[in-house]
Amino acid sequence: MEEWCVSMPKIELHAHLNGSIRLTTLLELAKALTENQKGAVNISQVEHVIMKHDLSLTEVFQLFDLIHNVITDHNTVTRITKEVIEDFASDNVVYLELRTTPKRNDSIGMSKRSYVDAVMEGLRSVSSVDVDFIPNTQDSTSLSNLPIITNENSRKIIIVRLILSIDRRETTEAAMETVKLALEMRHLGVVGIDLSGNPKTGEWTTYLPALKFAREQGLSVTLHCGEIRNSKEIKNMLEFHPQRIGHACFFEDEHWIKLKSSKIPVEICLTSNIRTFSVASIEVHHFACLYKAKHPLVLCTDDTGVFSTRLSKEYKLAANSFGLGRWEMLELSRNAVEYIFADNGVKNDLRIFFNSVANNME
Ligand code: 6MZ
């Protein structure tokens, strides 16, 4: 099963760039900072948090602050982007929507734009796999060159699109700036907007104008929804009707009814939900109920670095916990094509590709 989960082509739609940092890279960068700038980062503190197995949601956000203290300059942003793409490709992810929060750091001349440019540079600098990230540069994507079931020796191809995140700590103006940036960078492969960050922070009404503007301008929107108990916000979010939502852990009956009738696809992050205690155990995870109801779902990793996971591990966990066979897993992966934010050309190429994978299995 493990081998199948790795070799099967997969689609990742909920991955945060900085949360997907390799732990070895994080430790290396933290050590260098500790040595160069005494006091800026305390390496033992970093090691302690990283090695802790279960992190409460509050501790996870403390870890993100630590990661952000370590990843400060453009070169580091480029480096981690390159590594994250290599890691997803080596796990046979063929289509990845990578999300990240554009950051401003005046002290080193970093603007939100230059931050995203550094991410783009990371995509460009990958050499071990072919990265298709600029839309409409050719009639079809390079997927037709992909072997049906990828093996270790074949050259990998990965299609990457970007989603820009609004952090819940941001103001309406800052959120609007991110949406405008996404619009400016659409021709470079930015396809959507995400609302994320500590769910205990901020108010829905703060981001709403920017999210509405994004939608009016034709950007797709995904929202972190129901990571904590907040009935009113969940209701408001579902009424907004985003293209997708992430998590959906603390839903009440009225939310499930609304979600199911609206058919909004849910990005499911099993390991993340269990490790942050957002769901008590895998046995009671809402994946089972939504899957049975044939609700649109996609398995995702959230933060591969922070939660020590990979997409193939998430599939294996789902297979073992909910009794899915190879065919069901492939169907789950293939169905995700319908929920991607990229244009119809990419969607069609992926449909054709997954059809041939499925035909080959029969
Ligand atoms: C909410 C999350 C998250 O944007 O700096 N992020 N927000 N819930 C989660 N589940 C545990 N995991 C990650 O990546 C890190 C940022 O992504 C958001 C947080 O805002 C975090 O600071 P970037 O690349």
Side-chain angles (χ1 to χ4, degrees):
M1 190 46 97
E2 184 162 348
E3 213 177 295
W4 170 251
C5 292
V6 175
S7 67
M8 184 183 76
K10 292 172 287 298
I11 290 187
E12 169 67 79
L13 301 183
H14 188 134
H16 298 270
L17 172 61
N18 282 274
S20 304
I21 186 174
R22 284 181 193 161
L23 288 188
T24 45
T25 301
L26 179 57
L27 283 172
E28 179 197 317
L29 294 170
K31 266 190 194 128
L33 256 193
T34 315
E35 279 154 22
N36 295 343
Q37 304 171 24
K38 287 207 167 18
V41 169
N42 178 341
I43 183 68
S44 58
Q45 190 194 1
V46 177
E47 268 172 339
H48 170 73
V49 185
I50 293 172
M51 299 311 165
K52 227 179 141 203
H53 187 75
D54 292 313
L55 294 163
S56 67
L57 214 49
T58 304
E59 286 172 318
V60 164
F61 286 97
Q62 284 165 355
L63 179 54
F64 285 130
D65 286 342
L66 269 174
I67 294 174
H68 292 146
N69 281 338
V70 168
I71 302 165
T72 44
D73 63 290
H74 294 102
N75 287 343
T76 313
V77 172
T78 298
R79 170 183 172 181
I80 60 157
T81 306
K82 177 174 181 278
E83 292 177 353
V84 166
I85 301 300
E86 286 169 351
D87 292 346
F88 276 108
S90 79
D91 198 32
N92 291 316
V93 169
V94 293
Y95 176 90
L96 161 68
E97 278 173 19
L98 186 62
R99 55 184 78 187
T100 193
T101 321
K103 294 164 190 73
R104 200 176 135 181
N105 182 351
D106 291 338
S107 66
I108 57 150
M110 181 185 278
S111 63
K112 285 191 173 190
R113 168 80 202 211
S114 72
Y115 173 90
V116 183
D117 282 338
V119 172
M120 298 279 175
E121 190 49 38
L123 300 181
R124 232 171 266 127
S125 66
V126 176
S127 59
S128 56
V129 295
D130 291 335
V131 184
D132 173 329
F133 67 99
I134 306 276
N136 302 323
T137 41
Q138 55 224 96
D139 289 340
S140 65
T141 56
S142 36
L143 269 184
S144 49
N145 301 328
L146 262 184
I148 298 302
I149 294 284
T150 36
N151 62 51
E152 272 312 305
N153 302 322
S154 53
R155 175 131 181 114
K156 303 250 163 48
I157 296 161
I158 183 167
I159 303 172
V160 181
R161 295 294 183 266
L162 294 180
I163 294 176
L164 301 190
S165 301
I166 295 167
D167 187 310
R168 296 182 61 110
R169 286 175 293 198
E170 290 184 295
T171 60
T172 305
E173 292 68 36
M176 197 61 99
E177 193 193 337
T178 297
V179 173
K180 287 186 179 151
L181 181 60
L183 289 168
E184 264 174 45
M185 300 187 88
R186 266 175 141 175
H187 66 293
L188 296 171
V190 176
V191 289
I193 290 291
D194 157 54
L195 174 67
S196 53
N198 192 338
K200 293 175 187 157
T201 315
E203 290 292 329
W204 169 243
T205 47
T206 308
Y207 331 112
L208 190 56
L211 295 170
K212 274 189 176 158
F213 180 62
R215 158 171 305 155
E216 280 159 21
Q217 297 296 315
L219 282 168
S220 296
V221 174
T222 176
L223 305 174
H224 281 63
C225 180
E227 272 191 292
I228 56 168
R229 202 171 293 284
N230 186 343
S231 185
K232 194 164 157 236
E233 184 178 271
I234 296 172
K235 198 160 170 264
N236 285 332
M237 286 184 168
L238 293 175
E239 269 164 17
F240 177 77
H241 203 107
Q243 272 74 16
R244 298 195 306 253
I245 58 166
H247 299 297
C249 298
F250 288 91
F251 273 34
E252 294 160 26
D253 287 350
E254 61 164 319
H255 307 132
W256 289 126
I257 292 167
K258 174 94 182 146
L259 176 76
K260 285 183 183 165
S261 68
S262 66
K263 302 243 181 314
I264 299 170
V266 184
E267 303 152 357
I268 297 274
C269 308
L270 296 171
T271 302
S272 159
N273 294 159
I274 303 298
R275 289 196 50 187
T276 57
F277 311 106
S278 303
V279 173
S281 73
I282 190 76
E283 290 76 29
V284 297
H285 197 284
H286 45 288
F287 171 91
C289 176
L290 290 173
Y291 183 75
K292 212 167 141 213
K294 295 198 181 339
H295 188 84
L297 289 180
V298 49
L299 284 183
C300 304
T301 54
D302 208 7
D303 301 285
T304 51
V306 170
F307 300 118
S308 307
T309 190
R310 311 182 88 191
L311 193 52
S312 55
K313 273 197 184 179
E314 297 300 305
Y315 273 86
K316 190 175 152 223
L317 181 59
N320 291 342
S321 312
F322 310 112
L324 310 188
R326 285 180 173 206
W327 183 254
E328 283 89 7
M329 310 256 273
L330 184 63
E331 278 304 290
L332 195 58
S333 178
R334 167 154 91 163
N335 288 343
V337 174
E338 304 311 318
Y339 324 133
I340 67 171
F341 288 170
D343 57 56
N344 282 333
V346 176
K347 229 178 223 182
N348 267 333
D349 286 351
L350 284 167
R351 283 189 192 122
I352 294 167
F353 171 68
F354 272 95
N355 280 347
S356 56
V357 175
N359 290 340
N360 232 46
M361 250 187 95
E362 280 166 354

